[in-house]
Amino acid sequence: MNASRPPLKPLDTALQELLGYATALAGIEQVSTFEADGRVLAQDVVSALHVPPQDNSAMDGYAVRCAELDKGVPLPVSQRIPAGASGQPLQPGSVARIFTGAPVPAGADAIVMQEDCELLLPPDAAPGTLGSVRISSTPKPGQWIRRAGEDVTRGAVVLSKGERLTPASLGLAASIGMSSLAVLRRPRVALFSTGDELVMPGDIAPEQMPPGAIYNSNRFFLRALLQRLGCVVTDFGIVPDQREATVAALREAAQQHDLILTSGGVSVGEEDHIKPSVQLLGELDIWQIAIKPGKPFAYGKIYRGEGEGAARGAQDACHFAGLPGNPVSSFITFMVLVRPFLLKLQGITQAVPVSMALPAHFDWLRADKRREFLRVRRNAAGGLDLFPNQSSGVLTSAVWGDGVVDNPAGATIAKGDMVQFISFAELMG
Ligand code: AMP
Ligand code: MG
C-alpha cells in the first residue's frame, strides 16, 4: 500500500460534504394534481375548508335522537337522506333513513346501522312509504357519526413545502379542492457510460459479441433509478475512453444540466479519463470513499464558463458525480450518495433511509477496513440470508437481494448477530 495516499473518506463525512454542495434548485412549476405524483411541493398546502365539510353518517342506517329511543318501540321514519342530499332537522319522535356520507340532520345525535333495525311497512304500502323502524340496540351519542373536520380542519397545513408527493397525498390535496399544485422543477441529469468494452444490447447479438466486449448494464439501472427520483434524464450514451472525447462530452453536457452522472473510468488507470477531465474543466471535491463496494466514487463541478480550470469560474457550475464502473459498485454508490444528493437538490432534506435491526442467518468472517454493503434477502424466518457471491461485478446479487446489510468497517458477523438492514425500497424511492 502506498503510504502517501490520502486515507479514504468515511461515508458519513463524504455524504455530509456532498449534501453541503447540494442547494435546492430554483424554479417552481404549477402542475395538475393528476400529474404531481413524486414531485416535491414548493409551498405549503393549506385547507380552505373542513374535511369532511359537515358531520355525516359512517353507515347506511337511521339517524336518531338517543334520548327518544325506547328499546323495541318502533319510531316513524320522517325523511330519507341519501349521500349528496342535505336533509331537514330531525322531527321530534322520529328517525331519518340515512346513507353513508350523507349529512347528519340537525337534532340527531347518533346513527344506528341498518343491521340493528327492523323496518316495519304496512303490507299494502305504496312505493316510497317510509314506514317505521324498531331498533334492537342501544346507541351511544356520537355513534357512527364522522365529525366535520375530523380529517382536516380549515386553515390546517395538510402538506408541507419540501414534501415529496405520494398517491395518498394527491388524494388528500384533491380532498381540499386543489386541482393543481406548486412543485419544484425536476433536476436535469446527463447520464454517461464510459468504457470501450461496452456494447448496447440490441447493437450486437450475444453470439456475435467480440472478445472483451460486455453489454452496458449500468446505463439501464442508472436511468431507471434517476427517473424514480423524479429527474429528467438526457442519456448521452457511451463515451469512449479518450481524454478529448471525455472533456468534450462533459463540457457540452454541463451547459444544460444540473448534474452529470458518469459510470466507469473514475479510478487511477491510464484508461480512466474522468477524474483528470473534471479537474481540467472544474474541480474535484470528493474522491474515493471507504465503502465496499463503491470506493472510486467522485464528486466535483464542471464550470460552465469558457477557458480552462479555475478561470472558467466556479459560480456557474454543473454538479458532477462519477460512479465506479463495476455494476454493483455503481448501484450502491448511487443509492447511498447520489440519491440523497438528488433529493436535496429537490429541496428534500429528510432522505435518511430507515434501517432495521434483523438477525443475520449467515456468517461473515472477513472483516474489511471499509464499511460494507452486503447484498442480503429477508427470509420467512425473519432473518437475513446472504447472497453467496459478494463481488462488485455480480449484479445478480442486487436482483436476488431485497436490500443490504450496512456492516461497519472492521466488523465480522456471526450467525444470530443483529445487523442493520436497509431495504432497496428505502434506497430507491
Ligand atoms: P472501470 O471503473 O471503468 O474501471 O470499470 C470497472 C469494471 O466495470 C470493468 O470490468 C468494466 O468493464 C465494468 N463496467 C464499466 N462500465 C460498465 C457498464 N456501463 N456496464 C457494465 N459494466 C461496466
Ligand atoms: Mg473503464
Side-chain angles (χ1 to χ4, degrees):
M1 202 205 188
N2 184 346
S4 66
R5 208 156 110 185
L8 302 179
K9 215 175 260 285
L11 178 60
D12 289 339
T13 313
L15 190 57
Q16 208 178 354
E17 289 179 15
L18 190 63
L19 294 179
Y21 293 118
T23 41
L25 299 172
I28 295 177
E29 296 168 9
Q30 193 73 24
V31 298
S32 157
T33 304
F34 279 126
E35 307 299 330
D37 184 29
R39 303 296 297 267
V40 180
L41 276 177
Q43 291 163 4
D44 288 350
V45 175
V46 179
S47 181
L49 81 174
H50 281 333
V51 181
Q54 61 266 310
D55 290 359
N56 68 92
S57 177
M59 284 287 166
D60 288 344
Y62 294 86
V64 303
R65 216 180 250 112
C66 293
E68 288 178 358
L69 294 186
D70 192 355
K71 206 168 175 181
V73 178
L75 286 175
V77 181
S78 55
Q79 61 178 319
R80 188 172 182 278
I81 316 172
S86 58
Q88 301 298 317
L90 187 64
Q91 285 171 27
S94 78
V95 301
R97 178 69 168 130
I98 196 164
F99 297 87
T100 304
V104 176
D109 60 4
I111 307 296
V112 181
M113 63 166 102
Q114 64 188 29
E115 290 83 344
D116 291 342
C117 302
E118 185 191 350
L119 179 62
L120 308 170
L121 284 175
D124 54 350
T129 305
L130 294 174
S132 58
V133 150
R134 183 183 289 134
I135 293 173
S136 56
S137 65
T138 310
K140 290 194 192 64
Q143 168 182 296
W144 298 124
I145 294 178
R146 301 193 287 216
R147 292 295 175 196
E150 76 174 25
D151 187 356
V152 175
T153 50
R154 190 182 305 111
V157 174
V158 298
L159 298 164
S160 306
K161 179 179 171 175
E163 207 173 313
R164 197 139 163 245
L165 295 163
T166 63
S169 37
L170 302 190
L172 190 61
S175 80
I176 62 162
M178 306 295 293
S179 62
S180 70
L181 294 165
V183 297
L184 295 171
R185 78 166 173 86
R186 299 171 185 273
R188 291 188 285 261
V189 181
L191 178 62
F192 288 98
S193 320
T194 74
D196 288 346
E197 71 280 29
L198 300 178
V199 169
M200 278 302 285
D203 284 356
I204 304 180
E207 55 280 5
Q208 250 94 64
M209 285 284 271
I214 58 163
Y215 287 118
N216 183 350
S217 47
N218 297 0
R219 185 173 176 183
F220 287 80
F221 65 71
L222 290 174
R223 195 150 119 171
L225 286 167
L226 287 167
Q227 283 166 346
R228 283 195 181 199
L229 290 174
C231 301
V232 178
V233 182
T234 317
D235 190 336
F236 282 82
I238 299 164
V239 193
D241 288 326
Q242 293 162 11
R243 185 68 51 90
E244 299 71 41
T246 307
V247 168
L250 293 176
R251 198 196 290 269
E252 189 205 329
Q255 301 305 323
Q256 307 290 337
H257 296 89
D258 303 303
L259 169 69
I260 297 174
L261 186 67
T262 64
S263 86
V266 77
S267 296
V268 287
E270 60 267 30
E271 295 289 346
D272 293 324
H273 299 288
I274 290 287
K275 184 173 168 251
S277 301
V278 172
Q279 284 166 320
L280 180 75
L281 295 174
E283 62 187 58
L284 193 81
D285 302 301
I286 301 173
W287 186 55
Q288 297 206 322
I289 319 287
I291 56 172
K292 190 178 177 183
K295 178 175 96 171
F297 173 86
Y299 168 81
K301 292 172 205 75
I302 313 281
Y303 304 156
R304 294 195 179 104
E306 291 301 314
E308 292 193 347
R312 293 157 62 84
Q315 300 75 16
D316 182 25
C318 172
H319 298 288
F320 161 82
L323 306 183
N326 276 306
V328 185
S329 312
S330 225
F331 188 66
I332 297 287
T333 47
F334 184 95
M335 293 193 294
V336 299
L337 289 155
V338 179
R339 173 185 173 272
F341 181 81
L342 282 170
L343 293 179
K344 177 114 189 273
L345 276 191
Q346 297 178 71
I348 302 170
T349 46
Q350 297 303 319
V352 181
V354 175
S355 68
M356 58 179 117
L358 287 175
H361 287 182
F362 60 87
D363 290 316
W364 183 251
L365 304 174
R366 288 170 285 159
D368 199 280
K369 286 206 282 288
R370 289 180 261 159
R371 178 169 167 185
E372 293 172 294
F373 291 95
L374 306 170
R375 275 75 67 212
V376 296
R377 164 159 116 180
R378 277 173 285 194
N379 60 33
L384 297 170
D385 294 329
L386 181 75
F387 190 74
N389 188 342
Q390 292 287 322
S391 159
S392 61
V394 175
L395 202 48
T396 307
S397 67
V399 175
W400 180 93
D402 65 354
V404 288
V405 164
D406 181 356
N407 192 38
T412 56
I413 298 168
K415 210 172 271 155
D417 285 354
M418 295 304 278
V419 291
Q420 286 303 315
F421 171 79
I422 312 173
S423 74
F424 285 144
E426 277 290 316
L427 291 165
M428 282 187 202

